[in-house]
């Protein structure tokens, strides 16, 4: 059964965690408000992703070793504590930069544990012949969280400042911590004969392809997640949360059709179209000078994201034994985080030196690279 009580409980927990995380899409405004620049935004957002990516081999091994639920609980605790600690960082950015970056790193490790554990949990409980559908529909919870988080954060920021934003993010994560406690472990069997390590999986072509496509996708995500808010503020486009609302709306809508279609046709048949759609949304951002265009760009990228994320996730775990699903999921999620780190850092300095238009063009070119890589290598990989 796809839509079990455990499915819905984890979906609600994931929604809360994602809303808590996406509230920090407005953190670039905090950086600017405390004397930082576009380069600082890239560093601050990038350190979060770097810590998430660097911890992924350990996180993936832990999830296969101690279990999905126990790991998710540990990650949830970090996701609760981290937002409250931001409150104690005061004054100009330069006076607290090392402490701020350390906190961003701890926060990033918490998200790495939660995301890897929850998608491994879902791969355990979903039927294999409906894996795309199950992961795609489960992912709607995260997309709703992406829509809700910035809206709640923007309203809270307007009325209560950054103090209110951090408190709200912490409360959302606390709800997720409580919701999943009654659930049973999805896979408790210990396979002592399975010796495959996280890095050992890269000897297989499939995981090289999944990891590289996830990395390039993450590079593009760095543009939408870290720099749309500064773009909207620079051009006076009003509420930036409308972009994330349209982004999530497009991603959610396509899941009802795209996920089932991918199960019928195969991941590799649908994947190129998802890349093109996401790329289109990025290339529209340099031409965005109104809320209407902001919505259009969000819808295109959202539809692409809505297809691409579950496709890559399903490619990673399909036909893999339960004993290595945590590592397989870790390669996919770790690739995204590595791309977000590289993108945040690179795009931040491109934005500082050449402007936001050049930044979003470079983000779009990462998806062009993904399309070419899949065309010449990924479409032929089978194992």
């Amino acid at each position: 059964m796809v839509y079990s009580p455990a499915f819905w409980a984890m979906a609600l927990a994931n929604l809360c965690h994602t809303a808590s995380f996406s509230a920090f899409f407005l953190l670039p405004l905090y950086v600017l408000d405390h004397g930082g620049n576009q380069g600082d935004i890239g560093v601050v957002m990038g350190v979060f992703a770097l810590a998430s990516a660097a911890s992924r081999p350990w996180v993936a091994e832990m999830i296969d070793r101690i279990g999905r639920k126990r790991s998710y609980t540990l990650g949830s605790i970090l996701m609760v504590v981290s937002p409250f600690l931001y409150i104690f960082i005061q004054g100009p950015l330069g006076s607290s930069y090392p402490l701020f970056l350390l906190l961003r790193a701890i926060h990033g490790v918490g998200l790495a544990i939660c995301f890897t554990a929850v998608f491994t949990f879902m791969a355990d409980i979903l039927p294999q012949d409906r894996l795309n559908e199950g992961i795609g529909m489960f992912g709607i919870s995260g997309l709703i969280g992406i829509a809700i988080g910035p809206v709640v954060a923007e309203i809270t920021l307007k009325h209560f400042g950054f103090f209110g934003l951090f408190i709200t993010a912490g409360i959302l994560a606390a709800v997720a911590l409580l919701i999943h406690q009654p659930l049973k472990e999805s896979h408790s069997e210990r396979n002592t004969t399975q010796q495959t390590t996280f890095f050992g999986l890269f000897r297989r072509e499939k995981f090289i392809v999944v990891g590289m496509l996830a990395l390039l996708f993450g590079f593009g995500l760095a543009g939408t997640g870290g720099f749309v808010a500064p773009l909207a503020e620079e051009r006076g486009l009003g509420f930036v949360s409308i972009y994330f609302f349209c982004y999530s709306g497009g991603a959610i809508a396509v899941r009802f059709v795209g996920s089932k279609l991918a199960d019928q046709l195969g991941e590799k048949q649908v994947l190129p179209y998802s890349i093109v759609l996401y790329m289109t949304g990025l290339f529209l951002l340099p031409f965005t000078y109104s809320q209407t265009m902001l919505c259009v760009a969000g819808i295109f990228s959202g539809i692409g994201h809505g297809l691409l994320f579950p496709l890559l996730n399903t490619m990673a775990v399909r036909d893999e034994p339960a004993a290595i699903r945590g590592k397989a999921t870790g390669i996919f999620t770790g690739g995204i985080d590595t791309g977000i780190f590289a993108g945040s850092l690179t795009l931040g300095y491109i934005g500082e030196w050449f402007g936001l238009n050049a930044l979003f063009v470079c983000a779009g070119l990462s998806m062009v690279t993904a399309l070419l890589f899949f065309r010449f290598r990924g479409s032929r990989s089978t194992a």
Side-chain angles (χ1 to χ4, degrees):
M1 182 170 66
V2 174
Y3 306 109
S4 63
F7 176 97
W8 292 114
M10 279 306 232
L12 184 55
N14 188 53
L15 186 155
C16 292
H17 268 321
T18 310
S20 174
F21 156 69
S22 65
F24 284 85
F25 286 170
L26 300 189
L27 193 64
L29 302 181
Y30 177 90
V31 174
L32 295 174
D33 190 58
H34 286 72
N37 55 33
Q38 299 293 340
D40 292 318
I41 291 173
V43 172
V44 167
M45 303 303 279
V47 163
F48 182 98
L50 174 62
S52 188
S55 66
R56 200 65 58 139
W58 164 74
V59 166
E61 297 277 359
M62 178 185 71
I63 289 167
D64 282 334
R65 186 176 66 255
I66 72 171
R68 294 41 160 147
K69 181 193 170 183
R70 190 179 300 175
S71 300
Y72 192 72
T73 298
L74 175 60
S76 296
I77 292 170
L78 293 178
M79 289 291 289
V80 172
V81 172
S82 296
F84 291 110
L85 293 179
Y86 286 96
I87 295 170
F88 299 100
I89 298 178
Q90 303 292 332
L93 188 65
S95 65
S96 56
Y97 214 22
L99 184 60
F100 190 41
L101 296 182
L102 175 62
L103 180 53
R104 290 294 290 160
I106 294 171
H107 201 175
V109 172
L111 189 70
I113 297 173
C114 286
F115 274 8
T116 308
V118 76
F119 280 104
T120 307
F121 186 100
M122 297 313 297
D124 288 340
I125 69 172
L126 291 170
Q128 289 294 302
D129 61 341
R130 298 176 69 182
L131 200 54
N132 261 301
E133 177 191 349
I135 289 176
M137 296 305 289
F138 172 77
I140 288 177
S141 63
L143 294 167
I144 293 173
I146 289 176
I148 291 174
V151 174
V152 172
E154 195 162 13
I155 294 171
T156 305
L157 181 61
K158 183 177 180 181
H159 291 92
F160 304 103
F162 289 104
F163 175 86
L165 188 155
F166 298 144
I167 292 290
T168 301
I171 291 173
L172 286 167
V175 174
L177 174 62
L178 295 174
I179 287 171
H180 81 277
Q181 292 305 315
L183 299 180
K184 296 180 179 180
E185 178 59 66
S186 63
H187 176 70
S188 57
E189 180 184 350
R190 299 293 180 263
N191 188 340
T192 57
T193 64
Q194 179 55 253
Q195 300 297 322
T196 305
T197 65
F198 178 87
F199 292 107
L201 290 181
F202 283 103
R203 290 195 290 266
R204 294 170 53 186
E205 181 76 9
K206 181 180 89 166
F207 289 109
I208 295 174
V209 171
V210 168
M212 180 58 70
L213 291 177
L215 186 151
L216 292 166
F217 179 35
F219 196 100
L221 286 172
T224 56
F227 299 98
V228 171
L231 177 78
E233 183 169 90
E234 180 182 284
R235 297 181 179 178
L237 300 181
F239 281 104
V240 66
S241 53
I242 190 67
Y243 173 85
F244 298 106
F245 186 82
C246 292
Y247 185 109
S248 297
I252 291 168
V254 78
R255 291 282 172 94
F256 289 97
V257 178
S259 296
K260 293 182 180 180
L261 188 65
D263 278 329
Q264 295 171 2
L265 300 179
E267 290 85 35
K268 293 180 181 179
Q269 300 303 314
V270 182
L271 194 142
Y273 300 100
S274 66
I275 295 174
V276 169
L277 286 163
Y278 192 77
M279 176 203 321
T280 301
L282 286 169
F283 281 137
L284 284 175
L285 286 169
F287 304 99
T288 297
Y289 290 90
S290 68
Q291 280 214 329
T292 300
M293 280 300 297
L294 196 63
C295 289
V296 172
I299 290 170
F300 268 101
S301 284
I303 293 173
H305 182 145
L307 291 170
L308 187 54
F309 191 98
L311 286 171
L312 290 175
N313 194 351
T314 303
M315 285 176 64
V317 300
R318 187 179 290 284
D319 301 324
E320 300 300 335
I324 67 167
R325 283 184 195 142
K327 302 178 190 70
T329 305
I331 287 174
F332 159 64
T333 55
I336 289 179
D337 285 336
T338 302
I340 291 174
F341 164 68
S344 296
L345 201 60
T346 304
L347 295 175
Y349 284 107
I350 288 174
E352 183 66 23
W353 296 334
F354 304 107
L356 289 170
N357 284 348
L359 183 157
F360 288 113
V361 168
C362 289
L365 289 175
S366 72
M367 302 311 296
V368 174
T369 305
L371 188 63
L372 293 173
F373 179 82
F374 179 76
R375 170 66 179 82
F376 292 107
R377 186 166 183 177
S379 61
R380 297 192 296 271
S381 66
T382 58

